[in-house]
């Protein structure tokens, strides 16, 4: 099969598909025993800069589950680390920034990303596209709001207090930070597409913390700039807790809007509006329940997904670490079998 016939790429483009395509956020990684065997004590950011390891970990779920797309194994903070931000990914915590950005001096230190900063990304993608054949590879990046929150807070945050304090109280500083970050993110996505990625996903994991009016003012211009700058491949936009933002997310310019588990896909299709495909949105925790529950819930998602102009089956957030990989394999088979078109 060649890439043009990929059910995933066809669904992203709202074209007829032989079956609903499926892949899972965080499909590569912590739920797989083979992943832990490969990582074996290697720090996350080291793994993300080692081409052989990136290729192997990216391929593992494709081999095991038979999903319709691979997603590049990396982390959203990789480009920040590559330009010299002093950060680390601490197990059980997440990204931790040694010197949080709170002023213009910190923003000025964020230089543009150059191709030579991330040679391992290009090398791994080229190797992967050769190995994947007709299976598309999704490249990805973190969106400016989410990256900005890590940089301002110094790590993960429940309420994003300092982030919002800058956004509301020092808007000039905020816009300067968003401008820098959108330049870095756009270059990172373009590098991945140039190396051979067939689609890209922009993760704005924490943007659900802002109201729609604030999204329009403080976030939308930068998201839009990124999507306008990435051409030639389907573009997916995803955030968590974004039910109230689905309409404005649809305006940001992506071809596919990812939906978390809180909003049914038929309602999400109404909120997003025409001209977009949808991705999602089984609650990841459902996979911890008995199979008959998983099957019932998955069929519900497929039924609701018919309201969309194109549907890529996924979870409403990432695979949970305690998920049984056999459940994901059965789910992949079910989605393929239950959605076959005539």
């Amino acid at each position: 099969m060649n890439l043009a016939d990929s059910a995933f790429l066809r669904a992203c483009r709202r074209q007829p598909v032989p079956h609903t395509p499926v892949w899972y956020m965080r499909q590569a990684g912590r739920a797989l025993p083979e992943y832990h065997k490969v990582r074996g004590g290697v720090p996350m950011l080291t793994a993300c800069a080692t081409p052989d390891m990136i290729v192997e970990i990216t391929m593992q779920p494709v081999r095991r589950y038979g999903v319709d797309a691979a997603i590049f194994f990396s982390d959203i903070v990789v480009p920040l680390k590559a330009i010299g931000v002093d950060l680390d990914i601490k197990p059980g915590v997440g990204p931790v920034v040694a010197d949080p950005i709170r002023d213009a001096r910190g923003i000025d230190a964020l230089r543009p990303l150059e191709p030579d900063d991330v040679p391992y990304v290009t090398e791994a993608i080229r190797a992967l596209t050769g190995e994947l054949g007709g299976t598309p590879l999704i490249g990805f990046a973190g969106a400016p709001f989410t990256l900005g929150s890590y940089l301002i807070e110094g790590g993960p945050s429940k309420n994003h207090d300092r982030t919002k304090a800058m956004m509301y109280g020092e808007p000039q500083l905020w816009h300067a930070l968003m401008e820098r970050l959108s330049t870095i993110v756009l270059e990172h996505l373009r590098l991945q597409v140039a190396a051979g990625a067939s689609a890209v996903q922009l993760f704005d994991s924490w943007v659900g913390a802002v109201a729609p009016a604030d999204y329009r003012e403080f976030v939308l211009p930068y998201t839009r700039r990124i999507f306008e700058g990435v051409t030639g491949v389907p573009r997916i936009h995803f955030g968590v807790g974004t039910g109230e933002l689905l309409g404005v997310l649809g305006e940001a310019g992506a071809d596919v809007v990812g939906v978390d588990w809180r909003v049914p896909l038929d309602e999400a299709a109404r909120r997003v509006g025409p001209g977009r495909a949808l991705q999602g949105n089984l609650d990841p925790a459902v996979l911890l329940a008995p199979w008959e529950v998983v099957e019932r819930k998955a069929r519900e998602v497929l039924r609701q997904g018919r309201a969309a102009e194109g549907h890529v089956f996924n979870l409403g957030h990432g695979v949970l670490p305690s998920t049984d990989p056999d459940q994901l394999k059965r789910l992949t088979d079910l989605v393929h079998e239950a959605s076959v078109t005539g």
Side-chain angles (χ1 to χ4, degrees):
M1 183 184 83
N2 66 38
L3 279 171
D5 297 325
S6 152
F8 166 73
L9 294 176
R10 291 183 65 84
C12 289
R13 293 179 173 130
R14 297 173 290 124
Q15 297 168 341
V17 290
H19 58 80
T20 300
V22 53
W23 71 278
Y24 308 108
M25 290 180 279
R26 291 195 189 272
Q27 65 186 15
R30 53 200 187 172
L32 289 173
E34 55 264 45
Y35 165 77
H36 292 288
K37 193 173 173 185
V38 169
R39 270 281 306 275
V42 177
M44 179 63 175
L45 287 171
T46 303
C48 292
T50 309
D52 290 354
M53 203 172 275
I54 296 169
V55 171
E56 171 58 23
I57 293 169
T58 302
M59 291 299 301
Q60 285 173 349
V62 179
R63 296 187 201 114
R64 186 187 267 258
Y65 304 138
V67 284
D68 295 282
I71 185 160
F72 189 66
F73 174 73
S74 188
D75 190 275
I76 63 170
V77 299
V78 162
L80 299 180
K81 180 77 171 176
I83 63 164
V85 176
D86 187 356
L87 59 80
D88 196 11
I89 297 175
K90 298 205 170 167
V93 179
V96 177
V97 179
D99 187 15
I101 290 179
R102 307 275 163 79
D103 55 27
R105 183 185 58 81
I107 294 170
D108 290 342
L110 293 174
R111 65 169 178 82
L113 182 74
E114 306 286 346
D116 290 346
D117 293 325
V118 286
Y120 41 86
V121 170
T122 302
E123 185 183 332
I125 288 176
R126 286 179 178 152
L128 277 163
T129 51
E131 202 161 325
L132 284 163
T135 301
L137 176 66
I138 304 167
F140 76 90
F145 178 89
T146 293
L147 292 178
S149 180
Y150 283 125
L151 289 173
I152 296 165
E153 304 285 346
S157 168
K158 193 174 179 183
N159 299 312
H160 308 279
D161 317 31
R162 289 179 179 274
T163 305
K164 289 185 172 184
M166 183 189 289
M167 192 174 83
Y168 293 132
E170 300 180 272
Q172 281 182 297
L173 208 55
W174 173 264
H175 287 296
L177 177 60
M178 291 296 99
E179 190 67 45
R180 290 281 172 123
L181 289 173
S182 55
T183 299
I184 292 164
V185 169
L186 177 53
E187 179 60 19
H188 193 221
L189 290 175
R190 281 176 169 164
L191 283 170
Q192 293 174 71
V193 172
S198 301
V200 295
Q201 176 155 316
L202 188 68
F203 283 90
D204 212 346
S205 308
W206 311 133
V207 80
V210 303
D214 293 329
Y215 184 95
R216 280 187 190 281
E217 181 178 353
F218 296 110
V219 183
L220 180 61
Y222 307 101
T223 315
R224 188 175 271 153
R225 179 188 161 203
I226 291 165
F227 284 130
E228 285 174 353
V230 178
T231 55
V233 298
R235 300 150 303 173
I236 309 167
H237 193 14
F238 174 75
V240 187
T242 50
E244 294 299 321
L245 299 176
L246 285 172
V248 68
L249 289 184
E251 295 171 32
D255 304 288
V256 185
V257 175
V259 184
D260 77 7
W261 68 92
R262 295 169 176 87
V263 180
L265 288 179
D266 46 1
E267 171 59 16
R270 188 188 69 76
R271 294 185 192 184
V272 170
R276 303 280 182 261
L278 296 185
Q279 180 173 281
N281 72 338
L282 186 72
D283 187 337
V286 167
L287 286 158
L288 309 181
W291 170 250
E292 47 282 13
V293 179
V294 178
E295 181 175 3
R296 177 168 53 82
K297 293 283 196 180
R299 289 181 183 276
E300 209 171 90
V301 170
L302 285 169
R303 181 178 55 76
Q304 292 163 345
R306 292 193 199 112
E309 294 179 27
H311 178 212
V312 176
F313 190 99
N314 207 313
L315 304 181
H317 200 191
V319 173
L320 296 169
S322 54
T323 306
D324 178 354
D326 291 341
Q327 289 276 66
L328 282 167
K329 171 63 179 149
R330 286 184 79 178
L331 176 58
T332 308
D333 292 343
L334 172 71
V335 171
H336 286 160
E337 290 158 16
S339 63
V340 171
T341 54

